Amino acid sequence: MDANPQYGPRTVEEVFRDFRGRRAGLIKALTTDVERFYQQCDPEKENLCLYGLPDEQWEVNLPAEEVPPELPEPALGINFARDGMQEKDWLSLVAVHSDAWLLAVSFYFGARFGFDKADRKRLFNMINDLPTVFEVVTGTVKKQSKEKSSVSNHSSNKSKTNSTQRGTDAQAKYARASLKDEDDDGLEEEDEDHGDTLCGACGENYGADEFWICCDICEKWFHGKCVKITPARAEHIKQYKCPSCSNKRSRP
């Protein structure tokens, strides 16, 4: 845990940077690192909490011993519910509590360092511009699913007409979100469609100059760098599974 009495952002920008780092760590725990997170939440252990750290890392740990704690504490005992519900429902529940905790920490700093009404509003607006952890984990970001399905179907139809060119089709499929498309009619429309698309790993927005890849199972989009896939490697992938889908197993 990082409850250090000497640590504490003091400006709106510093609090938001702290929020963004902790949020990135929580998203990582619930998506790309989900298997490791799941294993650490053993119901046989004591009350455990999921902490997002300012350096974009996460940890599962016991709550702070001091009362009251230096910072607001996350939801207590998340491990006890792990085996009592479907994994996706459990992850969604942890995500909701994580969002509540992130806001509590940020506004704790705001109160402690005397943010006025204008500062609080500015901080909230900066936070509200990012999708919540719950939206990223469950894939319920507004319009994202419909846009991805539309683009995915369009690309699939194109690849069926050229089944003999697997290498070329695969490259077009996985690079269509970031590389130039040879189809002039759909270029501007595709760029607009992807304007609201968010990375399933880091939650950041689509960038036209970045390589993206779509999971064929959950249909979430990811920055290539977030899932360690390069355009060259994507050429040879027939069906891409994101880390979360690759790690999913049927739970007892």
Side-chain angles (χ1 to χ4, degrees):
M1 283 175 286
D2 60 309
N4 183 343
Q6 297 181 344
Y7 173 80
R10 295 177 179 272
T11 67
V12 171
E13 288 71 23
E14 287 175 340
V15 172
F16 178 66
R17 189 159 53 244
D18 178 271
F19 171 91
R20 193 167 54 186
R22 294 177 190 275
R23 172 181 169 276
L26 292 170
I27 290 174
K28 188 181 297 184
L30 298 170
T31 56
T32 55
D33 295 349
V34 67
E35 189 69 17
R36 184 156 60 93
F37 169 64
Y38 186 94
Q39 294 300 332
Q40 289 188 23
C41 291
D42 186 348
E44 298 300 320
K45 295 182 179 178
E46 297 181 51
N47 289 292
L48 293 175
C49 301
L50 171 61
Y51 293 87
L53 306 180
D55 61 357
E56 301 187 5
Q57 300 303 312
W58 61 272
E59 68 175 2
V60 171
N61 212 328
L62 296 171
E65 293 182 3
E66 69 268 22
V67 178
E70 173 63 21
L71 294 178
E73 286 290 293
L76 182 66
I78 57 171
N79 51 312
F80 296 146
R82 192 194 73 176
D83 295 341
M85 55 201 307
Q86 291 290 327
E87 180 181 348
K88 66 177 182 178
D89 295 332
W90 176 67
L91 292 174
S92 297
L93 180 63
V94 175
V96 168
H97 283 292
S98 296
D99 282 318
W101 176 70
L102 284 171
L103 286 173
V105 171
S106 292
F107 280 84
Y108 164 84
F109 285 135
R112 182 172 179 180
F113 298 115
F115 287 5
D116 59 18
K117 181 178 179 180
D119 284 341
R120 292 194 303 272
K121 182 176 181 179
R122 187 156 65 95
L123 174 61
F124 179 79
N125 287 338
M126 293 168 74
I127 289 173
N128 205 37
D129 281 340
L130 295 174
T132 64
V133 176
F134 176 82
E135 288 175 326
V136 173
V137 171
T138 60
T140 57
V141 179
K142 302 296 184 184
K143 299 162 81 173
Q144 183 177 353
S145 295
K146 289 183 179 179
E147 290 173 355
K148 286 187 296 187
S149 295
S150 174
V151 176
S152 179
N153 290 336
H154 177 255
S155 180
S156 295
N157 291 334
K158 285 172 62 180
S159 66
K160 286 178 182 177
T161 63
N162 293 297
S163 58
T164 58
Q165 299 179 355
R166 288 185 180 177
T168 303
D169 289 345
Q171 184 175 18
K173 178 180 180 183
Y174 296 117
R176 64 181 176 272
S178 57
L179 304 180
K180 288 185 178 180
D181 194 329
E182 293 179 1
D183 185 354
D184 294 334
D185 294 335
L187 179 58
E188 291 184 5
E189 183 179 349
E190 250 179 53
D191 284 344
E192 291 177 3
D193 284 344
H194 282 283
D196 294 331
T197 302
L198 300 163
C199 176
C202 69
E204 297 299 328
N205 288 88
Y206 159 76
D209 58 343
E210 298 173 302
F211 172 69
W212 279 49
I213 187 167
C214 180
C215 175
D216 285 305
I217 305 302
C218 65
E219 294 190 344
K220 289 183 182 179
W221 288 88
F222 299 86
H223 288 108
K225 62 185 180 181
C226 289
V227 290
K228 299 185 171 121
I229 298 290
T230 62
R233 184 178 173 191
E235 283 188 54
H236 305 287
I237 301 177
K238 293 181 180 179
Q239 183 186 55
Y240 174 67
K241 290 184 182 180
C242 69
S244 179
C245 290
S246 297
N247 290 329
K248 272 186 180 173
R249 301 169 185 165
S250 57
R251 304 297 179 189

